[in-house]
Amino acid sequence: MTGLRTETVPSIAEAARRLRAGDITAVALTEAFLARIAETEPAIHAYVEVLAGTALTDAARADADFAAGIDRGPLQGIPVGVKDIYDLAGVPTRCGSRALDTAAPAQTDSEAVRRLREGGAVFIGKTVTQEFAAGVVSRPARNPWDPTRVPGGSSGGSAASVAAGSCLVGLGSDTGGSIRIPASVTGSVGLKPTYGRASKRGVYPLSWALDTVGPIARTVEDAALTLNVMAGHDPGDPTTVELPVSDATAQIGRDVEGLRIGVARGFFSERLQPEVASAVEMALDVFRGLGAEVIETPWTNAKAARAVAMILNRVESASVHERTLRESADLIGDDLRIRLVAGTTVPGTDYIRTIRAREAIRESMAALFAEHHIAALLTPTLPTTALMADDLVHRVSDELDEPVGMAYTRLTQPFNATGQPVLSVPCGFDDHGLPIGLQIAGKPFNEAELCRIGHAYEREAGWYQRRPPL
Amino acid sequence: MQEHRDEDRGRERAVSAKVMDDVGSNMEEMIAVVRHLEVDESPPRLPFRASWTLEEKRQ
């Protein structure tokens, strides 16, 4: 052990700089993060399996490459947490489900993992997911800001680990908000790329028309650096697009003066925790202070977009799990099984109508951006902060409760119907000291501009520098 | 992990009735929303796919 402390390496960008300066080694960095895992796991439970042995081998390989003058890019030597729905060769993919308790080790890497491995990443462990990536709680993982609370989901383990400082970036997936929701409640950055930007091959599907894979990190730049490695066309995933991959970091550092930023209210400002509403208003002031033109851009299709995403999600996930549902339904948790059964009840004509409605939804979002000449659309990521682990509902008022799953996906799910790229960045804290997330939706396949906007806000507001008292 | 799973199962059973009610009513509401949307009801052109890509849009 070298005595390196993880808090002295707060980002991928900083670690990459120090690795190349010869100031630290990948092995020392990995040992430091393994020590941090040992320190935080008793309270956080972010990992299904810690891969200390293979991680140190990965790290030694990264160091050998550095010594030989081989630079595989900014992820070389960086400890990565992998959501347990991604195949990682040699390790079982259990998807947080009893149905896969006896799964054999994966034979090959998922495409995203393969690309990261080629980029020299160090896979430090498999992180907790809600069962089959369907849900927002991610038991048994807990929130580093308050371990009596949930880290969100379904990529809750990855977000909890990033927030706890036990990895530098976590891989997530987002079908209804599963990257953005845990990023929001853990004070992390979540980047849901454009649908089709990164390959899902080797990642257990939930709803193939909506599924996206992407990173959860501490900063926008780190998320962009990771996406750069993951992104690109894959002939093995026909939903990926044959477009050159633009550098998601290309515009980072540019200011946002003169950019038009839309604010969606209406649907997106209903039933908000008061601190969430005021944090978003303060974020708008930050953008105004940076010289952006903040304008009101109501989007009247938000509720319809959510309905479209929910129906696609329910029907397709029921199809994915049809055989298990028929032959061994008792292996699926009650919560998920009920949702799957609901999906089987949707008439085929409604499913097809939903697919066709989605086209109109996407066009209406494109029209909103074009009509108002906006570069991004802002909303809160969630209507509330992290709920208690045993909460069944979000208490909107004395008269109104909203089920946790419905509350947490309410503002994220519409953007799975539109397919555009979306960031969640920290934008403040509530009275309990819990993080609040700002959702920034960008233009399809323009992650570079989205990350420019997110980074400019992040640096000016400074919330990303706060760490949990763990 | 197994211990946590057992706790989960107990909790899930306790909440399943509520979840069932919520999921059922939400699905009905969402289907009603979609049925009221104006969509292109002409016969779809082939090939007709559930997924989309920018390329398809350009075509």
Side-chain angles (χ1 to χ4, degrees), chain B residues 3-4 7 9-10 13 16 25-29 34-37 40 44 48 50 52 54-56 58:
Chain B
E3 188 185 326
H4 288 298
E7 282 173 20
R9 299 291 278 193
R13 283 190 199 99
S16 61
S25 58
N26 289 332
M27 280 307 289
E28 285 173 16
E29 183 189 344
V34 168
R35 284 182 181 166
H36 280 92
L37 292 178
D40 177 5
F48 186 58
W52 67 284
L54 188 65
E55 284 193 328
E56 284 174 348
R58 283 175 175 165

Side-chain angles (χ1 to χ4, degrees), chain A residues 101 139 334 350 353 356, chain B residues 11-12 35 37 41-42:
Chain A
D101 258 355
R139 289 186 190 85
D334 292 352
D350 282 330
R353 186 177 187 84
R356 303 184 87 176
Chain B
R11 184 183 175 282
E12 278 195 358
R35 284 182 181 166
L37 292 178
E41 292 183 328
S42 61

Side-chain angles (χ1 to χ4, degrees), chain A residues 98 101 139-140 195 307 310 314 330 333-334 342 346 350 353 356-359 362 392 403 406, chain B residues 2 4-6 8-9 11-13 15 22-23 26-27 30 34-35 37 39-42 52 57:
Chain A
R98 283 193 174 186
D101 258 355
R139 289 186 190 85
Y195 180 85
M310 187 177 289
R314 292 272 192 272
D330 58 316
D334 292 352
V346 177
D350 282 330
R353 186 177 187 84
R356 303 184 87 176
R358 185 190 195 179
E359 188 64 20
R362 257 199 321 264
L392 303 181
M406 294 298 286
Chain B
Q2 188 58 49
H4 288 298
R5 287 239 187 105
D6 290 342
D8 271 7
R9 299 291 278 193
R11 184 183 175 282
E12 278 195 358
R13 283 190 199 99
V15 305
D22 292 338
V23 169
N26 289 332
M27 280 307 289
M30 296 302 156
V34 168
R35 284 182 181 166
L37 292 178
V39 301
D40 177 5
E41 292 183 328
S42 61
W52 67 284
K57 291 281 290 174

Side-chain angles (χ1 to χ4, degrees), chain A residues 176-408:
Chain A
S178 286
I179 287 175
R180 293 161 285 159
I181 294 164
S184 179
V185 298
T186 64
S188 309
V189 172
L191 173 54
K192 181 198 89 67
T194 312
Y195 180 85
R197 178 83 287 179
S199 173
K200 303 184 285 286
R201 180 154 55 106
V203 179
Y204 208 97
L206 178 61
S207 168
W208 57 85
L210 303 169
D211 291 340
T212 50
V213 294
I216 297 172
R218 295 191 197 173
T219 66
V220 173
E221 183 180 22
D222 283 2
L225 288 168
T226 308
L227 178 64
N228 277 351
V229 181
M230 298 172 73
H233 176 246
D234 171 17
D237 176 353
T239 68
T240 54
V241 177
E242 273 189 279
L243 286 175
V245 178
S246 54
D247 176 2
T249 67
Q251 296 183 30
I252 280 182
R254 283 179 59 188
D255 65 34
V256 294
E257 190 168 358
L259 283 188
R260 287 165 72 90
I261 306 285
V263 185
R265 297 192 199 272
F267 179 89
F268 293 99
S269 58
E270 294 167 2
R271 291 171 278 150
L272 302 182
Q273 183 180 331
E275 295 108 308
V276 171
S278 53
V280 171
E281 290 306 316
M282 285 171 58
L284 301 183
D285 283 340
V286 170
F287 276 108
R288 291 186 189 101
L290 289 168
E293 186 183 351
V294 177
I295 58 171
E296 302 284 331
T297 51
W299 185 44
T300 54
N301 278 316
K303 186 178 179 183
R306 187 175 191 219
V308 162
M310 187 177 289
I311 291 172
L312 293 176
N313 188 330
R314 292 272 192 272
V315 175
E316 293 183 2
S317 57
S319 172
V320 166
H321 296 285
E322 188 177 8
R323 184 171 178 181
T324 312
L325 206 52
R326 188 175 60 239
E327 296 179 357
S328 45
D330 58 316
L331 293 178
I332 302 175
D334 292 352
D335 188 71
L336 174 59
R337 194 171 62 246
I338 290 161
R339 291 164 204 239
L340 297 178
V341 169
T344 66
T345 66
V346 177
T349 46
D350 282 330
Y351 175 65
I352 297 299
R353 186 177 187 84
T354 302
I355 292 169
R356 303 184 87 176
R358 185 190 195 179
E359 188 64 20
I361 296 293
R362 257 199 321 264
E363 282 169 6
S364 82
M365 178 55 76
L368 185 81
F369 271 66
E371 182 186 334
H372 296 283
H373 304 287
I374 54 174
L377 187 66
L378 303 187
T379 81
T381 306
L382 303 181
T384 181
T385 53
L387 296 168
M388 303 294 283
D390 290 327
D391 282 344
L392 303 181
V393 295
H394 163 225
R395 173 134 291 188
V396 179
S397 68
D398 288 345
E399 296 79 36
L400 183 61
D401 286 341
E402 187 175 19
V404 173
M406 294 298 286
Y408 269 9

